[in-house]
Coordinates of all heavy atoms in Angstrom, one line a residue:
Q1 N 2.0 -3.2 -12.5 CA 2.0 -2.1 -13.4 C 3.0 -1.1 -13.0 O 3.3 -0.9 -11.9 CB 0.6 -1.4 -13.5 CG -0.5 -2.3 -14.0 CD -1.9 -1.7 -14.0 OE1 -2.3 -1.1 -13.0 NE2 -2.5 -1.7 -15.1
A2 N 3.4 -0.3 -14.0 CA 4.4 0.8 -13.7 C 3.7 2.1 -13.9 O 2.8 2.3 -14.8 CB 5.6 0.7 -14.6
L3 N 4.1 3.1 -13.1 CA 3.5 4.5 -13.3 C 4.1 5.1 -14.5 O 5.3 4.9 -14.8 CB 3.9 5.3 -12.0 CG 3.1 5.0 -10.8 CD1 3.6 5.9 -9.6 CD2 1.6 5.3 -11.0
P4 N 3.3 6.0 -15.2 CA 3.9 6.8 -16.2 C 5.0 7.7 -15.6 O 5.0 8.0 -14.4 CB 2.7 7.7 -16.7 CG 1.5 6.9 -16.2 CD 1.9 6.2 -15.0
P5 N 5.9 8.2 -16.5 CA 7.1 8.9 -16.0 C 6.7 10.2 -15.3 O 7.5 10.7 -14.5 CB 7.9 9.1 -17.2 CG 7.0 8.8 -18.4 CD 6.0 7.9 -17.9
Q6 N 5.5 10.8 -15.5 CA 5.2 12.1 -14.9 C 4.8 11.9 -13.4 O 4.7 12.9 -12.6 CB 4.1 12.8 -15.6 CG 2.7 12.2 -15.5 CD 2.4 11.2 -16.7 OE1 3.3 10.6 -17.3 NE2 1.1 11.1 -17.1
Y7 N 4.6 10.6 -12.9 CA 4.3 10.4 -11.5 C 5.4 9.7 -10.8 O 6.1 8.8 -11.3 CB 3.1 9.4 -11.4 CG 1.8 10.0 -12.1 CD1 1.2 9.2 -13.1 CD2 1.3 11.2 -11.7 CE1 0.0 9.7 -13.6 CE2 0.1 11.7 -12.3 CZ -0.5 11.0 -13.3 OH -1.7 11.4 -13.8
T8 N 5.6 10.1 -9.5 CA 6.7 9.5 -8.7 C 6.1 9.2 -7.3 O 5.7 10.2 -6.6 CB 7.9 10.4 -8.6 OG1 8.4 10.7 -9.8 CG2 9.0 9.8 -7.7
L9 N 6.0 7.9 -7.0 CA 5.5 7.5 -5.7 C 6.4 6.4 -5.2 O 6.9 5.6 -6.0 CB 4.1 7.0 -5.8 CG 3.0 8.0 -6.1 CD1 1.6 7.2 -6.4 CD2 2.8 8.9 -4.9
Y10 N 6.5 6.3 -3.9 CA 7.3 5.3 -3.3 C 6.5 4.6 -2.2 O 5.8 5.3 -1.5 CB 8.6 5.8 -2.7 CG 9.4 6.6 -3.6 CD1 9.4 8.0 -3.6 CD2 10.2 5.9 -4.6 CE1 10.2 8.7 -4.6 CE2 11.0 6.7 -5.5 CZ 11.0 8.0 -5.5 OH 11.7 8.7 -6.4
F11 N 6.6 3.3 -2.0 CA 5.9 2.6 -1.0 C 6.8 1.7 -0.2 O 7.8 1.2 -0.7 CB 4.8 1.7 -1.6 CG 3.7 2.4 -2.3 CD1 3.8 2.7 -3.7 CD2 2.6 2.9 -1.6 CE1 2.8 3.4 -4.3 CE2 1.6 3.6 -2.3 CZ 1.7 3.9 -3.6
T12 N 6.5 1.7 1.1 CA 7.2 0.7 2.0 C 6.2 0.0 2.8 O 5.1 0.5 3.0 CB 8.2 1.4 3.0 OG1 7.5 2.3 3.8 CG2 9.3 2.1 2.3
A13 N 6.5 -1.2 3.2 CA 5.7 -2.0 4.1 C 6.5 -2.6 5.1 O 7.6 -3.2 4.9 CB 4.9 -3.1 3.3
D14 N 6.1 -2.5 6.4 CA 6.8 -3.1 7.5 C 5.8 -4.0 8.2 O 4.7 -3.6 8.5 CB 7.2 -2.0 8.5 CG 8.4 -1.1 7.9 OD1 9.4 -1.7 7.6 OD2 8.2 0.1 7.8
K15 N 6.3 -5.2 8.5 CA 5.5 -6.2 9.3 C 6.1 -6.2 10.7 O 7.3 -6.5 10.9 CB 5.6 -7.5 8.6 CG 4.7 -8.6 9.3 CD 4.6 -9.8 8.4 CE 3.7 -10.8 9.0 NZ 2.3 -10.4 8.9
N16 N 5.3 -5.9 11.7 CA 5.7 -5.9 13.1 C 6.0 -7.3 13.5 O 5.2 -8.2 13.4 CB 4.6 -5.2 13.9 CG 5.0 -5.1 15.4 OD1 5.2 -6.0 16.1 ND2 5.1 -3.8 15.8
A17 N 7.2 -7.5 14.0 CA 7.7 -8.8 14.4 C 6.9 -9.3 15.6 O 6.9 -10.5 15.9 CB 9.2 -8.8 14.7
V18 N 6.3 -8.5 16.4 CA 5.6 -8.9 17.6 C 4.1 -9.2 17.3 O 3.6 -10.2 17.6 CB 5.7 -7.9 18.8 CG1 4.9 -8.3 20.0 CG2 7.2 -7.7 19.1
T19 N 3.5 -8.2 16.7 CA 2.0 -8.3 16.5 C 1.6 -8.9 15.1 O 0.5 -9.4 15.0 CB 1.4 -6.9 16.5 OG1 1.9 -6.1 15.4 CG2 1.7 -6.2 17.9
G20 N 2.5 -8.8 14.2 CA 2.2 -9.3 12.8 C 1.5 -8.3 12.0 O 1.2 -8.5 10.8
D21 N 1.2 -7.1 12.6 CA 0.5 -6.0 11.8 C 1.4 -5.5 10.7 O 2.6 -5.5 10.8 CB 0.2 -4.9 12.7 CG -0.9 -5.2 13.7 OD1 -1.5 -6.3 13.6 OD2 -1.1 -4.4 14.7
V22 N 0.8 -5.1 9.6 CA 1.5 -4.6 8.4 C 1.2 -3.1 8.3 O 0.0 -2.7 8.2 CB 1.1 -5.4 7.2 CG1 1.8 -4.8 5.9 CG2 1.5 -6.8 7.3
T23 N 2.2 -2.3 8.2 CA 2.1 -0.8 8.0 C 2.6 -0.5 6.6 O 3.7 -0.8 6.2 CB 2.8 0.0 9.0 OG1 2.3 -0.3 10.3 CG2 2.7 1.5 8.8
V24 N 1.7 0.1 5.8 CA 2.1 0.5 4.4 C 2.2 2.1 4.4 O 1.3 2.7 4.9 CB 1.1 0.1 3.4 CG1 1.4 0.6 2.0 CG2 1.0 -1.5 3.4
T25 N 3.3 2.6 3.9 CA 3.5 4.0 3.8 C 3.7 4.5 2.4 O 4.5 3.8 1.6 CB 4.7 4.4 4.7 OG1 4.5 3.9 6.0 CG2 4.9 5.9 4.7
A26 N 3.1 5.6 2.0 CA 3.3 6.2 0.7 C 4.0 7.5 0.8 O 3.7 8.3 1.6 CB 2.0 6.4 0.0
T27 N 5.0 7.7 0.0 CA 5.8 9.0 -0.1 C 6.0 9.3 -1.6 O 5.8 8.5 -2.5 CB 7.1 8.9 0.7 OG1 7.9 7.9 0.1 CG2 6.9 8.6 2.1
G28 N 6.5 10.5 -1.8 CA 6.9 10.9 -3.2 C 6.2 12.2 -3.6 O 5.1 12.6 -3.0
P29 N 6.8 12.9 -4.6 CA 6.2 14.2 -5.0 C 4.9 14.1 -5.7 O 4.2 15.1 -5.7 CB 7.3 14.7 -5.9 CG 8.0 13.5 -6.4 CD 8.0 12.5 -5.3
S30 N 4.4 13.0 -6.1 CA 3.1 12.9 -6.8 C 2.0 12.6 -5.9 O 0.8 12.4 -6.3 CB 3.2 11.8 -7.9 OG 4.1 12.2 -8.9
R31 N 2.2 12.6 -4.5 CA 1.1 12.3 -3.6 C -0.1 13.2 -3.7 O -1.2 12.8 -3.5 CB 1.6 12.4 -2.2 CG 2.6 11.4 -1.7 CD 3.0 11.6 -0.3 NE 3.2 13.0 -0.1 CZ 4.0 13.5 0.8 NH1 4.6 12.8 1.6 NH2 4.1 14.8 0.9
N32 N 0.2 14.5 -4.1 CA -0.9 15.5 -4.1 C -1.9 15.3 -5.3 O -2.9 15.9 -5.3 CB -0.4 16.9 -4.1 CG 0.3 17.2 -2.8 OD1 -0.1 16.7 -1.8 ND2 1.2 18.1 -2.8
V33 N -1.5 14.5 -6.3 CA -2.4 14.2 -7.4 C -3.1 12.8 -7.3 O -3.8 12.4 -8.2 CB -1.7 14.3 -8.8 CG1 -1.2 15.8 -9.0 CG2 -0.5 13.4 -8.9
V34 N -2.9 12.2 -6.1 CA -3.5 10.9 -5.9 C -4.9 11.1 -5.1 O -4.9 11.7 -4.1 CB -2.6 10.0 -5.0 CG1 -3.3 8.7 -4.6 CG2 -1.3 9.7 -5.8
K35 N -5.9 10.5 -5.7 CA -7.2 10.6 -5.0 C -7.4 9.6 -3.9 O -7.9 9.9 -2.8 CB -8.3 10.4 -6.1 CG -9.7 10.5 -5.5 CD -10.8 10.4 -6.6 CE -12.2 10.6 -6.0 NZ -13.2 10.5 -7.1
D36 N -6.9 8.4 -4.2 CA -7.1 7.3 -3.2 C -6.0 6.2 -3.5 O -5.6 6.0 -4.6 CB -8.5 6.7 -3.4 CG -8.7 5.5 -2.5 OD1 -8.8 5.8 -1.2 OD2 -8.9 4.4 -2.9
I37 N -5.6 5.6 -2.4 CA -4.7 4.4 -2.5 C -5.4 3.3 -1.7 O -5.5 3.4 -0.5 CB -3.3 4.7 -1.9 CG1 -2.6 5.8 -2.7 CG2 -2.4 3.4 -2.0 CD1 -1.3 6.3 -2.1
A38 N -5.8 2.3 -2.4 CA -6.4 1.1 -1.7 C -5.3 0.1 -1.3 O -4.5 -0.3 -2.2 CB -7.4 0.5 -2.7
V39 N -5.4 -0.3 -0.1 CA -4.4 -1.3 0.4 C -5.2 -2.5 0.9 O -6.2 -2.4 1.6 CB -3.6 -0.7 1.6 CG1 -2.6 -1.8 2.2 CG2 -2.9 0.6 1.3
K40 N -4.8 -3.6 0.3 CA -5.5 -4.9 0.6 C -4.5 -5.9 1.2 O -3.4 -6.1 0.6 CB -6.1 -5.5 -0.7 CG -6.8 -6.8 -0.5 CD -7.4 -7.2 -1.9 CE -7.9 -8.6 -1.9 NZ -8.4 -9.0 -3.2
L41 N -4.8 -6.5 2.3 CA -3.9 -7.5 3.0 C -4.7 -8.8 3.0 O -5.8 -8.9 3.6 CB -3.6 -7.0 4.4 CG -2.8 -8.0 5.2 CD1 -1.3 -8.1 4.7 CD2 -2.7 -7.6 6.7
T42 N -4.2 -9.8 2.3 CA -4.7 -11.1 2.4 C -3.9 -11.9 3.4 O -2.7 -12.2 3.2 CB -4.7 -11.8 1.0 OG1 -5.4 -11.0 0.1 CG2 -5.4 -13.2 1.1
R43 N -4.5 -12.1 4.6 CA -3.8 -12.7 5.7 C -3.6 -14.2 5.5 O -4.2 -14.8 4.6 CB -4.6 -12.5 7.0 CG -4.8 -11.1 7.4 CD -5.8 -10.8 8.5 NE -6.0 -11.9 9.3 CZ -6.1 -11.9 10.6 NH1 -5.9 -10.7 11.3 NH2 -6.4 -12.9 11.4
A44 N -2.6 -14.7 6.2 CA -2.3 -16.1 6.1 C -3.4 -17.1 6.4 O -3.5 -18.2 5.9 CB -1.1 -16.5 7.0
D45 N -4.4 -16.6 7.3 CA -5.6 -17.4 7.6 C -6.7 -17.2 6.6 O -7.8 -17.8 6.8 CB -6.0 -17.0 9.0 CG -6.5 -15.6 9.2 OD1 -6.6 -14.8 8.2 OD2 -6.7 -15.2 10.4
G46 N -6.5 -16.5 5.5 CA -7.5 -16.3 4.5 C -8.3 -15.1 4.6 O -9.0 -14.7 3.7
E47 N -8.3 -14.4 5.7 CA -9.1 -13.2 5.9 C -8.5 -12.1 5.1 O -7.3 -11.9 5.0 CB -9.2 -12.8 7.4 CG -10.0 -11.6 7.7 CD -10.1 -11.3 9.1 OE1 -9.8 -12.1 10.0 OE2 -10.5 -10.1 9.4
V48 N -9.4 -11.3 4.5 CA -8.9 -10.1 3.7 C -9.3 -8.8 4.5 O -10.4 -8.7 5.0 CB -9.6 -10.1 2.4 CG1 -9.3 -8.8 1.6 CG2 -9.3 -11.3 1.6
V49 N -8.3 -8.0 4.7 CA -8.4 -6.7 5.4 C -8.1 -5.6 4.4 O -7.0 -5.7 3.7 CB -7.5 -6.7 6.6 CG1 -7.6 -5.4 7.4 CG2 -7.7 -7.9 7.5
T50 N -8.9 -4.6 4.3 CA -8.6 -3.4 3.4 C -8.7 -2.1 4.2 O -9.3 -2.0 5.2 CB -9.6 -3.4 2.3 OG1 -11.0 -3.2 2.8 CG2 -9.6 -4.7 1.4
D51 N -8.0 -1.1 3.6 CA -8.1 0.2 4.1 C -7.6 1.1 3.0 O -7.2 0.7 1.9 CB -7.2 0.4 5.4 CG -7.7 1.5 6.3 OD1 -8.5 2.4 5.8 OD2 -7.4 1.5 7.5
H52 N -7.6 2.4 3.3 CA -7.3 3.4 2.2 C -6.3 4.5 2.8 O -6.4 4.9 3.9 CB -8.5 4.1 1.7 CG -9.4 3.2 1.0 ND1 -9.4 3.0 -0.4 CD2 -10.4 2.4 1.5 CE1 -10.3 2.1 -0.7 NE2 -10.9 1.7 0.4
L53 N -5.4 4.9 1.9 CA -4.6 6.1 2.2 C -5.1 7.2 1.3 O -5.5 7.0 0.2 CB -3.1 5.8 1.7 CG -2.4 4.7 2.4 CD1 -1.1 4.4 1.8 CD2 -2.2 5.0 3.9
L54 N -5.1 8.4 1.9 CA -5.5 9.6 1.2 C -4.4 10.7 1.3 O -4.4 11.6 2.1 CB -6.8 10.2 1.8 CG -8.0 9.2 1.8 CD1 -9.1 9.8 2.6 CD2 -8.4 8.9 0.3
P55 N -3.3 10.5 0.5 CA -2.1 11.3 0.7 C -2.3 12.8 0.5 O -1.7 13.6 1.1 CB -1.1 10.7 -0.3 CG -1.8 9.8 -1.1 CD -3.1 9.5 -0.5
S56 N -3.2 13.2 -0.4 CA -3.5 14.6 -0.6 C -4.1 15.2 0.6 O -4.1 16.5 0.8 CB -4.4 14.8 -1.8 OG -5.6 14.2 -1.6
Q57 N -4.7 14.4 1.5 CA -5.3 14.9 2.8 C -4.4 14.6 4.0 O -4.8 14.7 5.1 CB -6.6 14.3 3.0 CG -7.6 14.6 1.9 CD -9.0 13.9 2.1 OE1 -9.3 13.5 3.2 NE2 -9.7 13.8 1.0
G58 N -3.1 14.2 3.7 CA -2.1 14.0 4.8 C -2.2 12.6 5.4 O -1.4 12.3 6.3
M59 N -3.0 11.7 4.9 CA -3.0 10.3 5.3 C -2.1 9.5 4.5 O -2.5 9.0 3.4 CB -4.5 9.8 5.3 CG -5.4 10.5 6.2 SD -7.2 10.0 5.9 CE -7.1 8.3 6.1
T60 N -0.8 9.3 4.9 CA 0.2 8.7 4.1 C 0.6 7.3 4.6 O 1.4 6.6 4.0 CB 1.4 9.5 4.0 OG1 1.9 9.8 5.3 CG2 1.1 10.9 3.3
D61 N 0.0 6.8 5.7 CA 0.3 5.4 6.1 C -1.0 4.8 6.8 O -1.9 5.5 7.2 CB 1.5 5.4 7.1 CG 1.2 6.2 8.4 OD1 0.4 5.7 9.2 OD2 1.9 7.2 8.5
V62 N -1.0 3.5 6.7 CA -2.1 2.7 7.3 C -1.5 1.5 7.9 O -0.6 0.9 7.3 CB -3.2 2.4 6.2 CG1 -2.7 1.6 5.1 CG2 -4.4 1.8 6.9
T63 N -2.1 1.0 9.0 CA -1.7 -0.3 9.6 C -2.8 -1.2 9.6 O -3.9 -0.9 10.0 CB -1.2 0.0 11.1 OG1 -0.1 0.9 11.0 CG2 -0.8 -1.3 11.7
L64 N -2.6 -2.4 9.0 CA -3.6 -3.5 8.9 C -3.2 -4.6 9.8 O -2.1 -4.9 10.0 CB -3.7 -4.0 7.5 CG -4.0 -2.9 6.4 CD1 -3.9 -3.5 5.0 CD2 -5.4 -2.4 6.6
T65 N -4.2 -5.2 10.4 CA -4.0 -6.3 11.4 C -3.6 -7.6 10.6 O -4.4 -8.1 9.8 CB -5.3 -6.6 12.2 OG1 -5.6 -5.4 12.9 CG2 -5.0 -7.7 13.2
G66 N -2.4 -8.0 10.9 CA -1.9 -9.2 10.2 C -1.7 -10.4 11.2 O -2.2 -10.4 12.3
T67 N -1.0 -11.4 10.8 CA -0.7 -12.6 11.6 C 0.8 -12.7 11.7 O 1.5 -11.9 11.2 CB -1.3 -13.8 11.0 OG1 -0.6 -14.2 9.8 CG2 -2.8 -13.7 10.7
Q68 N 1.3 -13.7 12.3 CA 2.7 -14.0 12.4 C 3.3 -14.6 11.2 O 4.5 -14.8 11.1 CB 2.9 -14.9 13.6 CG 2.5 -14.3 14.9 CD 3.3 -13.1 15.3 OE1 4.5 -13.1 15.1 NE2 2.7 -12.1 15.9
N69 N 2.5 -14.9 10.2 CA 3.0 -15.5 8.9 C 3.1 -14.6 7.8 O 2.5 -13.5 7.8 CB 2.0 -16.7 8.6 CG 1.9 -17.7 9.7 OD1 2.9 -18.3 10.1 ND2 0.7 -17.9 10.2
P70 N 3.8 -15.0 6.7 CA 3.9 -14.1 5.5 C 2.5 -13.9 4.9 O 1.7 -14.8 5.0 CB 4.8 -14.9 4.6 CG 5.6 -15.8 5.4 CD 4.7 -16.1 6.6
E71 N 2.3 -12.7 4.4 CA 0.9 -12.3 3.9 C 1.1 -11.5 2.6 O 2.1 -10.9 2.4 CB 0.2 -11.6 5.0 CG -0.1 -12.5 6.2 CD -0.5 -11.8 7.4 OE1 0.1 -10.7 7.8 OE2 -1.4 -12.2 8.0
R72 N 0.0 -11.5 1.8 CA 0.0 -10.8 0.6 C -0.5 -9.4 0.7 O -1.6 -9.1 1.3 CB -0.9 -11.5 -0.4 CG -1.0 -10.9 -1.8 CD -1.9 -11.7 -2.7 NE -2.0 -11.2 -4.0 CZ -2.8 -11.6 -4.9 NH1 -3.7 -12.6 -4.6 NH2 -2.9 -11.1 -6.1
V73 N 0.2 -8.4 0.2 CA -0.1 -7.0 0.2 C -0.3 -6.5 -1.2 O 0.5 -6.7 -2.1 CB 0.9 -6.1 0.9 CG1 0.6 -4.7 0.8 CG2 1.1 -6.5 2.4
E74 N -1.5 -5.9 -1.5 CA -1.8 -5.3 -2.8 C -2.1 -3.8 -2.6 O -2.8 -3.4 -1.7 CB -2.9 -6.0 -3.4 CG -2.7 -7.5 -3.7 CD -4.0 -8.2 -4.1 OE1 -4.4 -8.1 -5.3 OE2 -4.6 -8.8 -3.2
V75 N -1.5 -3.0 -3.5 CA -1.7 -1.5 -3.4 C -2.1 -1.0 -4.8 O -1.4 -1.3 -5.8 CB -0.4 -0.8 -3.0 CG1 -0.6 0.7 -3.0 CG2 0.1 -1.3 -1.6
T76 N -3.3 -0.4 -4.8 CA -3.8 0.2 -6.1 C -4.0 1.7 -5.9 O -4.6 2.1 -4.9 CB -5.1 -0.5 -6.4 OG1 -5.0 -1.9 -6.5 CG2 -5.7 0.0 -7.8
V77 N -3.5 2.4 -6.8 CA -3.5 3.9 -6.8 C -4.5 4.4 -7.8 O -4.5 4.1 -9.0 CB -2.1 4.5 -7.0 CG1 -2.1 6.0 -7.1 CG2 -1.1 4.0 -6.0
L78 N -5.4 5.4 -7.3 CA -6.3 6.1 -8.2 C -6.0 7.5 -8.2 O -5.9 8.2 -7.1 CB -7.7 5.8 -7.7 CG -8.8 6.6 -8.4 CD1 -8.9 6.2 -9.9 CD2 -10.2 6.5 -7.7
F79 N -5.7 8.1 -9.4 CA -5.3 9.5 -9.5 C -6.6 10.3 -9.8 O -7.6 9.8 -10.2 CB -4.3 9.7 -10.6 CG -3.0 9.2 -10.3 CD1 -2.6 7.9 -10.7 CD2 -2.0 10.0 -9.7 CE1 -1.4 7.4 -10.4 CE2 -0.8 9.5 -9.4 CZ -0.4 8.2 -9.7
Y80 N -6.6 11.6 -9.5 CA -7.7 12.5 -9.7 C -8.1 12.5 -11.2 O -9.2 12.7 -11.6 CB -7.4 13.9 -9.3 CG -7.5 14.1 -7.8 CD1 -6.4 14.2 -7.0 CD2 -8.8 14.0 -7.2 CE1 -6.5 14.4 -5.6 CE2 -8.9 14.2 -5.8 CZ -7.8 14.4 -5.0 OH -7.9 14.5 -3.7
S81 N -7.1 12.2 -12.1 CA -7.4 12.1 -13.5 C -8.2 10.9 -13.9 O -8.7 10.9 -15.1 CB -6.0 12.1 -14.3 OG -5.4 10.8 -14.0
G82 N -8.4 10.0 -13.0 CA -9.2 8.8 -13.3 C -8.3 7.6 -13.6 O -8.7 6.4 -13.7
E83 N -7.0 7.8 -13.8 CA -6.0 6.7 -14.1 C -5.9 5.9 -12.8 O -5.9 6.4 -11.7 CB -4.7 7.3 -14.5 CG -4.6 8.1 -15.7 CD -3.3 8.8 -15.9 OE1 -3.2 9.9 -15.3 OE2 -2.5 8.3 -16.7
Q84 N -5.8 4.6 -13.0 CA -5.7 3.6 -11.9 C -4.6 2.6 -12.2 O -4.5 2.1 -13.3 CB -7.0 2.9 -11.6 CG -7.0 2.0 -10.4 CD -8.4 1.5 -10.1 OE1 -9.3 2.3 -9.9 NE2 -8.5 0.2 -10.0
Y85 N -3.7 2.4 -11.2 CA -2.6 1.4 -11.4 C -2.5 0.5 -10.1 O -2.5 1.0 -9.0 CB -1.3 2.2 -11.6 CG -1.3 3.1 -12.7 CD1 -1.7 4.4 -12.6 CD2 -0.9 2.7 -14.0 CE1 -1.7 5.3 -13.7 CE2 -1.0 3.5 -15.1 CZ -1.3 4.8 -14.9 OH -1.4 5.7 -16.0
K86 N -2.4 -0.8 -10.4 CA -2.0 -1.7 -9.3 C -0.5 -1.8 -9.3 O 0.1 -2.4 -10.1 CB -2.7 -3.1 -9.6 CG -2.4 -4.0 -8.4 CD -3.1 -5.3 -8.7 CE -3.0 -6.3 -7.5 NZ -3.8 -7.5 -7.7
L87 N 0.1 -1.1 -8.2 CA 1.5 -1.0 -8.2 C 2.2 -2.1 -7.4 O 3.4 -2.4 -7.7 CB 1.9 0.4 -7.6 CG 1.4 1.6 -8.4 CD1 1.8 2.9 -7.8 CD2 1.9 1.5 -9.9
I88 N 1.6 -2.6 -6.4 CA 2.2 -3.6 -5.5 C 1.3 -4.8 -5.4 O 0.1 -4.7 -5.2 CB 2.4 -3.0 -4.1 CG1 3.1 -1.7 -4.1 CG2 3.1 -4.0 -3.2 CD1 4.6 -1.7 -4.6
D89 N 2.0 -6.0 -5.5 CA 1.3 -7.2 -5.3 C 2.4 -8.2 -4.8 O 3.1 -8.8 -5.7 CB 0.6 -7.8 -6.5 CG -0.2 -9.0 -6.3 OD1 -0.1 -9.6 -5.2 OD2 -1.0 -9.4 -7.1
R90 N 2.7 -8.2 -3.5 CA 3.8 -8.9 -3.0 C 3.5 -9.6 -1.7 O 2.5 -9.3 -1.0 CB 5.0 -8.0 -2.7 CG 5.5 -7.3 -3.9 CD 6.7 -6.5 -3.5 NE 7.1 -5.7 -4.7 CZ 8.3 -5.3 -4.8 NH1 9.2 -5.5 -3.9 NH2 8.6 -4.6 -5.9
I91 N 4.3 -10.6 -1.4 CA 4.2 -11.3 -0.1 C 5.1 -10.5 0.9 O 6.3 -10.2 0.5 CB 4.7 -12.7 -0.2 CG1 3.8 -13.5 -1.2 CG2 4.7 -13.4 1.2 CD1 2.3 -13.6 -0.8
V92 N 4.6 -10.2 2.1 CA 5.4 -9.4 3.0 C 5.6 -10.3 4.3 O 4.6 -11.0 4.7 CB 4.8 -8.1 3.4 CG1 3.4 -8.2 4.1 CG2 5.7 -7.2 4.3
S93 N 6.8 -10.4 4.8 CA 7.1 -11.1 6.0 C 7.8 -10.1 6.9 O 7.6 -8.9 6.8 CB 8.0 -12.3 5.7 OG 9.2 -12.0 5.1
Y94 N 8.7 -10.5 7.8 CA 9.3 -9.6 8.7 C 10.4 -8.8 8.1 O 10.9 -7.9 8.8 CB 9.8 -10.4 9.9 CG 8.7 -10.9 10.7 CD1 8.4 -12.3 10.8 CD2 7.8 -10.1 11.4 CE1 7.4 -12.8 11.5 CE2 6.7 -10.6 12.1 CZ 6.5 -12.0 12.1 OH 5.4 -12.5 12.8
S95 N 10.7 -9.0 6.9 CA 11.7 -8.1 6.2 C 10.9 -6.9 5.6 O 9.8 -7.0 5.3 CB 12.5 -8.8 5.2 OG 11.7 -9.4 4.2
R96 N 11.7 -5.9 5.3 CA 11.1 -4.7 4.7 C 11.3 -4.6 3.2 O 12.4 -5.0 2.8 CB 11.7 -3.4 5.4 CG 11.1 -2.1 4.9 CD 11.8 -1.0 5.7 NE 11.3 0.2 5.1 CZ 11.2 1.3 5.8 NH1 11.5 1.3 7.1 NH2 10.8 2.4 5.3
W97 N 10.3 -4.2 2.4 CA 10.5 -4.0 1.0 C 10.2 -2.6 0.6 O 9.5 -1.9 1.3 CB 9.7 -5.0 0.2 CG 8.3 -5.1 0.4 CD1 7.6 -6.0 1.2 CD2 7.2 -4.2 -0.1 NE1 6.3 -5.7 1.2 CE2 6.0 -4.6 0.5 CE3 7.2 -3.1 -0.9 CZ2 4.8 -4.0 0.2 CZ3 6.0 -2.4 -1.2 CH2 4.8 -2.9 -0.6
K98 N 10.8 -2.2 -0.5 CA 10.5 -0.8 -1.1 C 10.2 -1.0 -2.5 O 10.6 -1.8 -3.2 CB 11.7 0.1 -0.9 CG 12.0 0.4 0.5 CD 13.2 1.4 0.5 CE 13.6 1.8 1.9 NZ 14.6 2.7 2.0

């Protein structure tokens, strides 16, 4: 899904080449109107790991325990207005995406 034009958010995900952990970071001027950002990592071994970012409270990054293999990252944003958008659904490996 795409955000309406009044919202601006950016996400990056980095996969640690040594540990396999995945760090997701949220930035952008619309962080203060975000109630919750749900981050879901579906690991290569089938285990699902979840956590949340709360950018309006200063929590703008989260690290999830991954494996050495490519894994699926999903990011869903919930605004205080009640609007919800699934913004990211990608496979992450050792390269970085934005």
Side-chain angles (χ1 to χ4, degrees):
Q1 294 177 309
L3 285 177
Q6 69 267 30
Y7 299 125
T8 303
L9 291 171
Y10 306 102
F11 294 93
T12 59
D14 289 304
K15 186 168 184 72
N16 185 294
V18 175
T19 65
D21 292 350
V22 176
T23 300
V24 176
T25 304
T27 60
S30 297
R31 290 181 320 204
N32 292 331
V33 295
V34 173
K35 182 176 183 178
D36 180 65
I37 300 174
V39 180
K40 177 180 174 183
L41 177 70
T42 303
R43 296 169 24 133
D45 61 9
E47 184 177 342
V48 175
V49 182
T50 61
D51 208 337
H52 295 267
L53 299 173
L54 303 169
S56 63
Q57 297 177 21
M59 297 171 57
T60 58
D61 61 72
V62 64
T63 299
L64 303 171
T65 302
T67 69
Q68 298 294 322
N69 300 303
E71 297 165 313
R72 182 180 180 187
V73 175
E74 299 170 78
V75 176
T76 303
V77 176
L78 174 64
F79 289 90
Y80 283 108
S81 65
E83 297 169 281
Q84 183 170 307
Y85 300 92
K86 184 175 185 179
L87 298 180
I88 306 294
D89 189 347
R90 297 187 185 204
I91 302 298
V92 64
S93 58
Y94 292 112
S95 60
R96 180 178 176 149
W97 54 262
K98 291 184 181 183

